[in-house]
Amino acid sequence: QVHLVESGGGLVQPGGSLALSCAASGNIFRLSTMGWYRQAPGKQRDLVATITFSRSTRYADSVKGRFTISRDNAKMTVYLQMNSRKPEDTAMYYCYYNYRGEYWGQGTQVTVSS
Protein backbone atom coordinates (compact mmCIF):
# COMPACT_ATOMS: atom_id res chain seq x y z
CA GLN A 1 0.00 0.00 0.00
CA VAL A 2 1.08 3.57 -0.75
CA HIS A 3 0.29 6.49 1.51
CA LEU A 4 0.36 10.07 0.20
CA VAL A 5 0.33 13.11 2.46
CA GLU A 6 -0.26 16.51 0.89
CA SER A 7 0.43 19.91 2.40
CA GLY A 8 0.49 23.55 1.40
CA GLY A 9 -3.03 24.36 0.27
CA GLY A 10 -4.89 27.50 1.25
CA LEU A 11 -6.14 30.87 0.09
CA VAL A 12 -4.13 33.03 -2.28
CA GLN A 13 -4.94 36.23 -4.11
CA PRO A 14 -5.00 36.34 -7.92
CA GLY A 15 -1.49 36.71 -9.23
CA GLY A 16 -0.03 35.27 -6.06
CA SER A 17 2.04 32.16 -5.49
CA LEU A 18 1.53 28.99 -3.55
CA ALA A 19 3.48 25.76 -3.22
CA LEU A 20 2.18 22.25 -2.58
CA SER A 21 4.12 19.22 -1.47
CA CYS A 22 3.27 15.53 -1.24
CA ALA A 23 5.29 12.87 0.53
CA ALA A 24 4.89 9.22 -0.38
CA SER A 25 5.45 6.38 2.05
CA GLY A 26 4.74 2.68 2.33
CA ASN A 27 5.40 0.20 -0.47
CA ILE A 28 6.89 2.81 -2.79
CA PHE A 29 9.34 2.61 -5.67
CA ARG A 30 11.56 5.36 -6.98
CA LEU A 31 10.73 4.41 -10.58
CA SER A 32 7.25 5.79 -10.03
CA THR A 33 5.54 8.67 -11.74
CA MET A 34 4.19 11.26 -9.34
CA GLY A 35 2.15 14.34 -9.89
CA TRP A 36 -0.91 16.45 -9.27
CA TYR A 37 -4.48 16.47 -10.50
CA ARG A 38 -7.24 18.90 -9.56
CA GLN A 39 -10.99 18.86 -9.37
CA ALA A 40 -13.22 21.91 -9.23
CA PRO A 41 -16.79 21.63 -7.91
CA GLY A 42 -19.05 19.95 -10.45
CA LYS A 43 -16.17 19.09 -12.78
CA GLN A 44 -14.06 16.03 -13.48
CA ARG A 45 -10.61 15.48 -12.07
CA ASP A 46 -8.03 16.81 -14.54
CA LEU A 47 -4.29 16.57 -14.95
CA VAL A 48 -2.19 19.45 -13.62
CA ALA A 49 1.32 18.04 -13.97
CA THR A 50 3.27 14.80 -13.64
CA ILE A 51 6.95 13.98 -13.29
CA THR A 52 8.77 10.69 -13.80
CA PHE A 53 11.69 9.25 -11.86
CA SER A 54 14.03 10.69 -14.50
CA ARG A 55 12.27 14.06 -14.11
CA SER A 56 10.49 14.08 -17.42
CA THR A 57 7.52 16.40 -16.97
CA ARG A 58 4.08 16.82 -18.45
CA TYR A 59 1.79 19.82 -17.89
CA ALA A 60 -1.78 20.74 -18.66
CA ASP A 61 -1.89 23.52 -21.23
CA SER A 62 -3.72 25.75 -18.75
CA VAL A 63 -0.79 25.79 -16.31
CA LYS A 64 2.22 25.77 -18.64
CA GLY A 65 4.56 28.64 -17.85
CA ARG A 66 2.90 29.28 -14.47
CA PHE A 67 3.31 26.04 -12.53
CA THR A 68 6.48 24.03 -11.98
CA ILE A 69 6.59 20.44 -10.78
CA SER A 70 9.66 18.91 -9.19
CA ARG A 71 10.54 15.90 -7.06
CA ASP A 72 13.07 14.72 -4.54
CA ASN A 73 13.68 11.04 -5.21
CA ALA A 74 15.54 10.54 -1.93
CA LYS A 75 12.57 11.85 0.03
CA MET A 76 9.96 10.51 -2.41
CA THR A 77 8.33 13.91 -2.33
CA VAL A 78 6.77 15.81 -5.20
CA TYR A 79 6.33 19.57 -5.24
CA LEU A 80 4.16 21.96 -7.20
CA GLN A 81 5.12 25.63 -7.35
CA MET A 82 2.15 27.64 -8.55
CA ASN A 83 2.72 31.21 -9.70
CA SER A 84 0.47 33.80 -11.32
CA ARG A 85 -2.58 32.16 -9.82
CA LYS A 86 -5.95 32.67 -11.47
CA PRO A 87 -9.45 32.26 -9.99
CA GLU A 88 -9.97 29.28 -12.30
CA ASP A 89 -7.13 27.50 -10.49
CA THR A 90 -9.46 27.12 -7.50
CA ALA A 91 -9.93 23.41 -6.91
CA MET A 92 -9.12 20.47 -4.71
CA TYR A 93 -5.62 19.36 -5.61
CA TYR A 94 -4.80 15.66 -5.40
CA CYS A 95 -1.39 14.06 -5.23
CA TYR A 96 -0.88 11.15 -7.62
CA TYR A 97 1.46 8.18 -7.57
CA ASN A 98 1.71 5.52 -10.22
CA TYR A 99 3.87 2.40 -10.18
CA ARG A 100 2.11 -0.86 -10.83
CA GLY A 101 -1.09 0.85 -9.74
CA GLU A 102 -2.51 4.29 -9.13
CA TYR A 103 -2.78 5.90 -5.72
CA TRP A 104 -4.27 9.21 -4.65
CA GLY A 105 -3.88 11.54 -1.73
CA GLN A 106 -6.77 12.92 0.30
CA GLY A 107 -6.60 16.26 -1.47
CA THR A 108 -5.77 19.80 -0.39
CA GLN A 109 -7.98 22.78 -1.15
CA VAL A 110 -6.55 25.71 -3.06
CA THR A 111 -8.66 28.84 -3.41
CA VAL A 112 -7.72 31.83 -5.52
CA SER A 113 -9.75 34.83 -4.56
CA SER A 114 -9.38 38.49 -3.69
Side-chain angles (χ1 to χ4, degrees):
Q1 192 70 4
V2 174
H3 187 53
L4 302 172
V5 178
E6 301 128 328
S7 60
L11 174 66
V12 63
Q13 292 187 341
S17 298
L18 194 67
L20 304 180
S21 63
C22 171
S25 61
N27 192 23
I28 56 177
F29 295 88
R30 293 186 178 182
L31 294 178
S32 58
T33 292
M34 298 183 71
W36 297 91
Y37 282 69
R38 66 186 181 186
Q39 186 170 19
K43 296 188 176 182
Q44 67 181 18
R45 189 175 298 187
D46 290 326
L47 167 76
V48 177
T50 58
I51 184 167
T52 66
F53 169 77
S54 59
R55 296 184 173 83
S56 175
T57 59
R58 176 188 174 197
Y59 291 93
D61 288 342
S62 59
V63 306
K64 284 181 181 177
R66 300 189 299 121
F67 292 11
T68 302
I69 191 169
S70 60
R71 68 185 282 171
D72 183 328
N73 287 330
K75 296 180 179 179
M76 286 304 292
T77 299
V78 63
Y79 305 94
L80 186 68
Q81 178 64 42
M82 303 178 288
N83 299 328
S84 303
R85 301 305 305 275
K86 302 177 180 180
E88 52 263 41
D89 294 325
T90 295
M92 184 72 78
Y93 283 69
Y94 294 92
C95 182
Y96 169 82
Y97 171 99
N98 188 347
Y99 185 79
R100 297 179 180 175
E102 292 185 341
Y103 297 86
W104 299 92
Q106 297 273 0
T108 184
Q109 179 66 38
V110 175
T111 302
V112 183
S113 175
S114 56

